[in-house]
Amino acid sequence: MIRILSVFAFIIISCSSFSQKARAFCSKYKTVTSANRLLIEDLRSDSLDIINTSLDLDMTSVATNQIACSATLTCQSNIAGLGSITFDFEGLTVDSVLGGNVSGFLHQDSILRVGFSNSLNQGDNVEIEIYYHGNPMKDASGWGGFYFSGNFSWNLGVGFADDPHSYGRIWFPCFDNFIERSTFDFKVKVMNDRRASCNGLLTQEVNNNDGTTTYYWELSQAIPSYLACVAVGPYISVNSSINGENGPLPVQIHGRPSDSSNIVSSFQHLDEAVLKFEEAFGPYRFDKVGYSLVPFNSGAMEHATNITYPISAANGGLSQEDLMAHELAHMWWGDNITCQTDGDMWINEGWASFSEYLFQEAVYGRDAYEKSMQEDLRLMLQFGHHNEGSYRAVSGQPHDLVYGDHVYKKGALVAHNLRGFMGDEKFFSAIQMLMEEFKFSSVSSDTLEKYFTQYSGIEMEPFFRVWVFTGGYNLVVLDSFLAAENGENYDVILTLQQKLKGREEMHDEVPVYYTVFDSEWNQESGMFKMSGYRTQESIETSIQPIHVQLYSKNEQAQARTMDKVVVSAVESLDLKNMFWEVDVESVTDSALVFFEHFWSQPDQVKDVDSKPYRLSNYHFWRVSGIDLENVEMSGQFFYDGRIGGYLDVDLVSIQEDSLVLLYRTGASDDWTEYEFYSKNILGQSDNSWGLIELTKILPGEYSLANLDRTVLGLNNVDDESILEIFPNPARDEITVSLNNYTVLTDVLFEVFDLEGKLIQSESLTEQVSRLNVSRYAKGLYNYRLIEAGRVIDSGKFILN
């Protein structure tokens, strides 16, 4: 899709009779629960299957936005004693309901209830004919429903504002959910100056000799109601064929005659997209690849075999081909397998967005794949949690965020990370098995976890727990490495730490991809997995290491964005992932430079007694690489604490006077104020925005921080301690007392371990607060008390 109630009780089913497909069991909750929005609440398919839907549609009165239709639903009862059935149907007028066993009907609001003269037995078939007419609805958001524009009329099968989002019910009776599937036949009468395009294959075209033509379409694969479509316009069909896995695959793109050359140009990489997706996900399982162009500029809709696609995207250029690929990918993710509930929409939309990366990789190479991935990652790390209220899990989205960035972009990043977690061979093999096992049916996140485990032999619970069922990000940072000769090879000990962004629980079994470089830029790569906060890992390499780089090919979308640059000439570098602008001042020989932007809290200062720095809790940077002595660089970057900038709100949202730039060569050193920078506040010191200018860029790490000038002795300091902690030593709980200090605003109490890692941060609003510290190891801890961005007290306490 775009990248951007019943009056009568139908049937009562006890919890004990839920079918297996109605259970929303997920690894996060380990239970069936209505709290996670993954529980299937529409159980009608347990009672009745809609086998085929046949629509006889008169669209000759579209000038008045009217349609007339008869829908024949061929159904089969799954239970004994079924006396009625309730369909979803909204906005149109029902004229009559016929059938040999139909006793009557009631149409009210969005419900059409049909009664049977004789109750159905299990396995009985029934054919219901429903005649109706009217002006079909459009979703209140403007996205979804039926559209009439000039010579065009079409539907979009999802309504962004409606609940449920599936939107087949506004033009034919159905079970409007993601579970029930039906084959479809279409018989569409239009004026002779137009053609009708629908799902499936065109089987017949009949001139009625009255100024109208009827088009017959047939879809033999079963799809959910929201994927059914009709598009009418002044169409010609641009036809071709792709040699797919199952033989020749027809391609049919409907557009105006004037669009034909643009279609050829804009869809020139469609063949490569189909073949790449077949290679990755398995064979294309529908009868044709199809698109119908319409005058709609707010995205596209993945109707099976007949994608509704904006005319403006087929403009002869390639700027929108990611949209082309995204919608095509839905023929696997969404149309072949479908999320069971909209709470798991990431299965449809996140994987289709991930497929855009694969398309870029197939057509333009791995660098293009990584660029697309990092664009999504950068947006999510900076804005995602602000735009959608928190660091969200991709599974279990609330109704209003089903089509949000955590579903599309974070969902794509999760799929990318799963690729890195499993490795390409097992990853793509498991997907292909999944597509075959669950072809033309619905799945949940828990289904994916179980079957990826089964088909790969890799336990997927750690990955799904941290990436699918909970929010936030992790970050693995290389603190140092130590190499020693071992015969003709080298043993290398890597010291690493895992940091977090938007979560408190460390990730387990994190894939750590490393690349070792020697002085000639030769490289060897490998991968191991780590868990926990810190680890040391020993690796072996045949080249003499002078630099070790983690994730040099962006194998994991962590809280890191990176610009990898070979510097060989005097030039200006706009480092979009680093958020720096760098000027190469001079070059004596080439250098390989990694500019890394870490979107997590830096290590704290080691000397907490004499260095009055409150570091950013949001991000920091590293410059590293090979032959950096060959280049001289300067640069600049903006600090931004404004609402909408979301980079440095923790440091400069009130005042910028105390803002400083800190530097250290590496994790073994302590932070100190950088020698080669200046600060330009760009106007007032309270506008939360300014420029840091670096006259020289050295290899090492950089962080913004607040300077507490009272600790530097620039103001008098009251000798009396503001804060008291007792008992000290403590065991499971400490009491924090602010003595006689008047709390005018929230004050922040921060606890650090002896390595400078922030382990707890609490807002104190009372004179006396009790804090649980039972989860921390025994030992000595440092604390700080911060008000309005400055340290007002500090000290130590012991846990025993």
Side-chain angles (χ1 to χ4, degrees):
M1 200 183 307
I2 71 164
R3 293 177 297 165
I4 98 139
L5 308 179
S6 165
V7 174
F8 293 92
F10 164 55
I11 191 167
I12 299 174
I13 302 178
S14 69
C15 293
S16 61
S17 66
F18 279 11
S19 72
Q20 181 62 34
K21 68 180 178 180
R23 294 191 176 271
F25 180 89
C26 74
S27 295
K28 179 179 180 182
Y29 293 94
K30 298 295 184 186
T31 184
V32 177
T33 172
S34 60
N36 59 31
R37 294 203 66 252
L38 303 180
L39 183 64
I40 300 169
E41 297 178 348
D42 186 351
L43 304 177
R44 287 175 295 179
S45 295
D46 291 344
S47 304
L48 186 97
D49 279 340
I50 304 174
I51 299 170
N52 178 261
T53 302
S54 182
L55 300 178
D56 187 345
L57 190 63
D58 186 335
M59 297 190 66
T60 60
S61 300
V62 293
T64 58
N65 299 350
Q66 298 285 311
I67 65 170
C69 188
S70 66
T72 302
L73 307 180
T74 303
C75 308
Q76 184 178 69
S77 178
N78 294 326
I79 62 174
L82 184 64
S84 66
I85 189 71
T86 301
F87 298 104
D88 300 306
F89 192 51
E90 185 173 7
L92 296 172
T93 300
V94 177
D95 300 312
S96 60
V97 178
L98 305 178
N101 194 27
V102 172
S103 63
F105 72 93
L106 175 68
H107 185 210
Q108 187 167 349
D109 298 326
S110 60
I111 294 300
L112 173 63
R113 185 185 185 220
V114 177
F116 302 129
S117 301
N118 300 302
S119 296
L120 302 180
N121 294 316
Q122 185 174 1
D124 283 354
N125 288 341
V126 63
E127 197 168 85
I128 305 169
E129 298 177 56
I130 304 166
Y131 293 81
Y132 55 94
H133 72 279
N135 180 357
M137 295 171 57
K138 187 186 294 185
D139 184 77
S141 69
W143 213 105
F146 233 90
Y147 295 78
F148 300 89
S149 178
N151 292 330
F152 292 88
S153 48
W154 70 95
N155 78 295
L156 297 175
V158 159
F160 277 9
D162 268 88
D163 189 4
H165 290 296
S166 50
Y167 222 37
R169 64 187 180 275
I170 58 91
W171 68 294
F172 64 93
C174 57
F175 294 170
D176 211 7
N177 56 39
F178 298 102
I179 303 167
E180 181 63 34
R181 285 174 173 254
S182 165
T183 58
F184 280 83
D185 302 314
F186 304 88
K187 179 181 176 183
V188 186
K189 183 165 72 171
V190 298
M191 303 304 295
N192 279 344
D193 60 346
R194 300 167 197 180
R195 296 174 61 89
S197 173
C198 297
N199 309 91
L201 297 175
L202 181 66
T203 61
Q204 193 176 5
E205 178 181 337
V206 176
N207 189 324
N208 300 315
N209 297 316
D210 61 357
T212 67
T213 301
T214 301
Y215 294 87
Y216 294 77
W217 293 85
E218 182 178 324
L219 179 70
S220 57
Q221 296 83 26
I223 60 171
S225 56
Y226 79 103
L227 294 176
C229 74
V230 62
V232 173
Y235 287 142
I236 61 165
S237 180
V238 178
N239 299 326
S240 61
S241 180
I242 298 172
N243 188 20
E245 284 192 23
N246 291 333
L249 180 62
V251 178
Q252 197 170 72
I253 303 176
H254 288 86
R256 302 167 300 186
S258 60
D259 296 323
S260 57
S261 62
N262 284 344
I263 289 171
V264 172
S265 297
S266 291
F267 284 84
Q268 62 183 273
H269 293 134
L270 177 60
D271 290 24
E272 292 163 276
V274 171
L275 297 177
K276 179 61 179 179
F277 296 161
E278 285 202 322
E279 176 191 342
F281 308 142
Y284 189 91
R285 288 181 164 83
F286 293 96
D287 291 332
K288 81 168 191 290
V289 174
Y291 295 77
S292 288
L293 306 189
V294 298
F296 183 74
N297 296 323
S298 297
M301 176 65 208
E302 67 270 21
H303 300 127
T305 75
N306 189 34
I307 295 160
T308 304
Y309 197 74
I311 294 172
S312 59
N315 56 13
L318 299 176
S319 62
Q320 298 296 313
E321 61 179 355
D322 277 352
L323 178 62
M324 173 200 74
H326 179 104
E327 302 305 326
L328 174 69
H330 276 305
M331 300 305 112
W332 289 265
W333 299 99
D335 294 16
N336 180 44
I337 64 170
T338 307
C339 59
Q340 287 183 352
T341 68
D342 64 7
D344 258 341
M345 186 57 69
W346 83 282
I347 296 174
N348 293 18
E349 297 297 349
W351 284 87
S353 297
F354 166 72
S355 301
E356 297 175 41
Y357 307 162
L358 293 180
F359 169 75
Q360 290 287 332
E361 185 175 33
V363 177
Y364 301 108
R366 175 70 188 194
D367 286 347
Y369 173 107
E370 293 179 41
K371 180 181 178 183
S372 294
M373 184 275 290
Q374 286 211 96
E375 286 175 355
D376 285 348
L377 179 60
R378 191 172 64 231
L379 182 144
M380 291 306 298
L381 290 173
Q382 186 175 5
F383 298 114
H385 54 295
H386 293 288
N387 293 345
E388 298 185 356
S390 65
Y391 293 92
R392 297 184 175 276
V394 297
S395 179
Q397 289 296 315
H399 182 266
D400 60 327
L401 295 179
V402 163
Y403 295 103
D405 285 338
H406 276 87
V407 168
Y408 282 73
K409 297 183 183 299
K410 180 71 180 292
L413 298 174
V414 169
H416 165 75
N417 284 355
L418 185 58
R419 179 184 185 181
F421 185 84
M422 300 176 68
D424 277 11
E425 182 178 354
K426 291 184 176 181
F427 174 71
F428 290 116
S429 176
I431 291 175
Q432 292 166 19
M433 295 296 291
L434 179 80
M435 289 288 170
E436 175 62 25
E437 179 82 12
F438 291 95
K439 61 185 177 183
F440 306 123
S441 64
S442 60
V443 298
S444 67
S445 291
D446 194 62
T447 307
L448 266 62
E449 178 188 325
K450 287 177 170 58
Y451 279 85
F452 275 106
T453 298
Q454 175 181 330
Y455 292 137
S456 69
I458 302 172
E459 177 53 57
M460 300 307 303
E461 188 277 335
F463 181 92
F464 274 73
R465 170 166 41 85
V466 298
W467 281 113
V468 175
F469 296 124
T470 55
Y473 303 81
N474 76 323
L475 168 66
V476 177
V477 178
L478 177 64
D479 282 349
S480 63
F481 71 91
L482 182 65
E485 290 188 44
N486 181 6
E488 295 182 353
N489 295 326
Y490 293 86
D491 292 329
V492 185
I493 298 176
L494 306 179
T495 300
L496 309 107
Q497 65 169 304
Q498 182 179 179
K499 294 177 176 289
L500 300 174
K501 183 71 168 178
R503 59 180 292 117
E504 296 181 356
E505 177 192 1
M506 292 291 174
H507 287 205
D508 294 323
E509 295 294 304
V510 180
V512 180
Y513 285 86
Y514 65 87
T515 303
V516 178
F517 294 87
D518 69 10
S519 59
E520 301 299 318
W521 298 17
N522 298 310
Q523 55 185 279
E524 290 183 0
S525 298
M527 188 272 282
F528 56 87
K529 292 184 177 180
M530 72 168 284
S531 300
Y533 168 49
R534 285 191 182 274
T535 190
Q536 283 191 330
E537 186 75 18
S538 180
I539 62 173
E540 186 175 341
T541 178
S542 64
I543 62 177
Q544 183 175 4
I546 67 163
H547 180 73
V548 179
Q549 182 64 42
L550 301 187
Y551 307 104
S552 63
K553 298 290 289 182
N554 290 293
E555 295 92 346
Q556 291 283 279
Q558 298 181 336
R560 165 198 286 102
T561 54
M562 179 176 66
D563 294 287
K564 178 174 59 178
V565 182
V566 175
V567 177
S568 58
V570 174
E571 59 181 326
S572 295
L573 307 174
D574 183 11
L575 305 178
K576 295 186 181 300
N577 295 311
M578 186 76 164
F579 285 43
W580 286 17
E581 296 176 7
V582 171
D583 292 322
V584 181
E585 305 287 355
S586 66
V587 177
T588 58
D589 202 350
S590 297
L592 175 60
V593 190
F594 294 93
F595 296 94
E596 293 177 275
H597 192 170
F598 298 132
W599 297 78
S600 184
Q601 194 171 59
D603 296 341
Q604 298 300 306
V605 296
K606 301 178 187 299
D607 185 358
V608 298
D609 292 325
S610 62
K611 291 189 173 180
Y613 301 130
R614 177 174 177 255
L615 275 71
S616 168
N617 63 21
Y618 203 80
H619 64 150
F620 65 105
W621 302 270
R622 175 185 288 174
V623 179
S624 64
I626 307 171
D627 296 329
L628 268 65
E629 68 276 5
N630 295 334
V631 300
E632 292 185 1
M633 297 179 291
S634 63
Q636 63 181 23
F637 64 87
F638 290 96
Y639 61 84
D640 197 342
R642 300 171 298 177
I643 299 299
Y646 298 128
L647 285 173
D648 305 294
V649 174
D650 59 323
L651 296 180
V652 298
S653 59
I654 300 174
Q655 287 287 333
E656 305 159 43
D657 295 338
S658 64
L659 188 69
V660 294
L661 180 66
L662 302 185
Y663 170 81
R664 68 178 188 178
T665 57
S668 61
D669 297 323
D670 205 356
W671 293 100
T672 186
E673 189 168 358
Y674 191 50
E675 182 179 359
F676 305 106
Y677 89 100
S678 61
K679 179 176 64 179
N680 185 341
I681 64 173
L682 298 179
Q684 302 298 316
S685 63
D686 60 355
N687 65 6
S688 301
W689 183 66
L691 185 68
I692 299 293
E693 297 175 286
L694 301 92
T695 57
K696 182 185 293 187
I697 296 176
L698 298 175
E701 296 181 356
Y702 299 79
S703 176
L704 291 170
N706 283 137
L707 176 66
D708 178 12
R709 301 185 184 280
T710 62
V711 179
L712 293 180
L714 298 181
N715 294 299
N716 293 326
V717 182
D718 191 343
D719 290 335
E720 182 180 352
S721 177
I722 293 172
L723 183 144
E724 181 183 359
I725 289 180
F726 58 88
N728 189 6
R731 184 179 299 273
D732 296 325
E733 184 180 79
I734 60 174
T735 298
V736 179
S737 173
L738 294 178
N739 295 330
N740 295 320
Y741 187 77
T742 301
V743 180
L744 298 178
T745 60
D746 287 2
V747 294
L748 193 65
F749 178 71
E750 297 181 334
V751 180
F752 303 87
D753 64 18
L754 290 183
E755 294 177 330
K757 178 179 181 289
L758 178 67
I759 62 172
Q760 186 168 355
S761 180
E762 302 282 349
S763 291
L764 305 182
T765 58
E766 305 292 337
Q767 294 295 125
V768 178
S769 303
R770 291 181 174 85
L771 304 179
N772 189 318
V773 292
S774 60
R775 64 185 182 274
Y776 303 133
K778 296 179 181 179
L780 182 65
Y781 292 86
N782 298 301
Y783 68 81
R784 287 179 177 176
L785 194 65
I786 297 168
E787 184 181 45
R790 68 185 186 94
V791 177
I792 59 174
D793 201 356
S794 62
K796 304 177 186 295
F797 67 91
I798 298 172
L799 297 180
N800 61 15

